[in-house]
């Protein structure tokens, strides 16, 4: 029970942070200072970019008004977030799945693997979070990994991988986000 309470509290704090970040700044000096601090801290929130890729690394976009990359974080090749400094980072992704709009036989099921990986500056890759699930005929639902906190090194590359991209619903609610905790 304590575990679920902790997860719920982390989710609420993360959602409050994301909603505060996406809100328009006002003229108040307190909120302007908060907005300035958030733009200086390493933080990123990206939206799903639909492609014809079948498997592998998911592509993201920062063209929407609610997606951004700040604080020296680098967004590379529409796939990778490169961290500007070592520290504790919250990492999360959310993907909406849909088998209503694709030609999937009613007797078929797909094993889907959704994961967030990190490659350190030495080239070592590890999985931060992953979930495997069965996707069946005429289903529509979302999967979320995180937010979870990890200590990550400067220059590490964080990315999301999934098989069977054709089952991703190109929803604006698909996201990939990272936020560094202040030192």
């Amino acid at each position: 029970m304590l575990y679920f309470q902790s997860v719920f509290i982390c989710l609420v704090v993360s959602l409050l942070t994301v909603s505060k970040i996406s809100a328009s700044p006002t003229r108040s000096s307190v909120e302007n200072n908060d907005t300035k601090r958030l733009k200086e801290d390493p933080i990123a929130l990206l939206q799903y970019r639909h492609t014809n890729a079948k498997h592998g690394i998911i592509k993201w976009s920062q063209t929407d008004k609610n997606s951004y990359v700040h604080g020296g974080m680098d967004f590379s090749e529409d796939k990778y977030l490169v961290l500007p400094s070592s520290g504790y980072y919250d990492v999360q992704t959310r993907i909406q799945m849909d088998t209503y709009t694709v030609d999937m036989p009613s007797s078929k099921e797909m094993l889907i693997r959704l994961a967030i990986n990190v490659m350190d500056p030495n080239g070592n890759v590890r999985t931060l979070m992953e979930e495997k699930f069965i996707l069946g005929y005429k289903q529509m639902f979302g999967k979320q990994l995180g937010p979870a906190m990890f200590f990550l090194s400067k220059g590490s590359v964080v990315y999301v991988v999934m098989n069977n991209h054709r089952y991703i619903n190109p929803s604006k609610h698909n996201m990939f986000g990272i936020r560094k905790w202040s030192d």
Side-chain angles (χ1 to χ4, degrees):
M1 184 68 178
L2 183 60
Y3 171 77
F4 292 111
Q5 289 173 335
S6 299
V7 169
F8 179 75
I9 289 169
C10 288
L11 180 60
V12 168
V13 168
S14 174
L15 290 174
L16 288 174
T17 302
V18 169
S19 66
K20 182 178 179 182
I21 292 167
S22 64
S24 299
T26 66
R27 295 180 187 254
S28 108
S29 62
V30 172
E31 289 188 26
N32 283 336
N33 286 339
D34 284 347
T35 303
K36 181 181 176 189
R37 183 185 61 79
L38 290 171
K39 286 186 178 182
E40 291 172 357
D41 288 343
I43 187 165
L45 182 66
L46 303 169
Q47 302 291 317
Y48 173 70
R49 186 177 129 208
H50 185 71
T51 65
N52 291 327
K54 293 182 181 179
H55 303 290
I57 300 171
I58 294 177
K59 289 194 172 193
W60 304 95
S61 152
Q62 64 172 341
T63 58
D64 189 84
K65 67 179 179 180
N66 292 325
S67 41
Y68 44 81
V69 177
H70 294 300
M73 197 172 303
D74 183 31
F75 180 44
S76 176
E77 299 179 33
D78 297 331
K79 302 177 195 177
Y80 310 106
L81 284 171
V82 183
L83 307 180
S85 59
S86 297
Y88 288 96
Y89 288 84
D90 271 338
V91 181
Q92 65 180 316
T93 192
R94 181 177 53 239
I95 300 292
Q96 302 292 319
M97 309 301 295
D98 179 7
T99 59
Y100 279 94
T101 58
V102 294
D103 295 328
M104 180 181 208
S106 60
S107 61
K108 191 167 185 170
E109 293 180 334
M110 298 298 299
L111 176 62
I112 304 291
R113 178 183 178 264
L114 175 64
I116 299 176
N117 290 347
V118 62
M119 181 172 59
D120 68 23
N122 297 325
N124 301 314
V125 176
R126 68 183 166 114
T127 299
L128 297 177
M129 295 177 271
E130 81 172 335
E131 186 169 343
K132 295 177 184 174
F133 54 94
I134 300 292
L135 186 61
Y137 178 68
K138 294 205 183 232
Q139 286 187 318
M140 182 179 263
F141 61 90
K143 285 291 179 183
Q144 180 160 333
L145 300 178
M149 185 186 307
F150 301 93
F151 183 85
L152 301 172
S153 301
K154 176 181 180 178
S156 292
V157 178
V158 184
Y159 55 96
V160 180
V161 294
M162 189 181 119
N163 62 321
N164 291 302
H165 289 192
R166 72 184 185 136
Y167 298 119
I168 297 175
N169 181 341
S171 163
K172 67 179 181 179
H173 301 291
N174 295 327
M175 55 76 71
F176 174 35
I178 295 180
R179 180 178 71 93
K180 183 177 184 198
W181 285 88
S182 296
D183 297 326

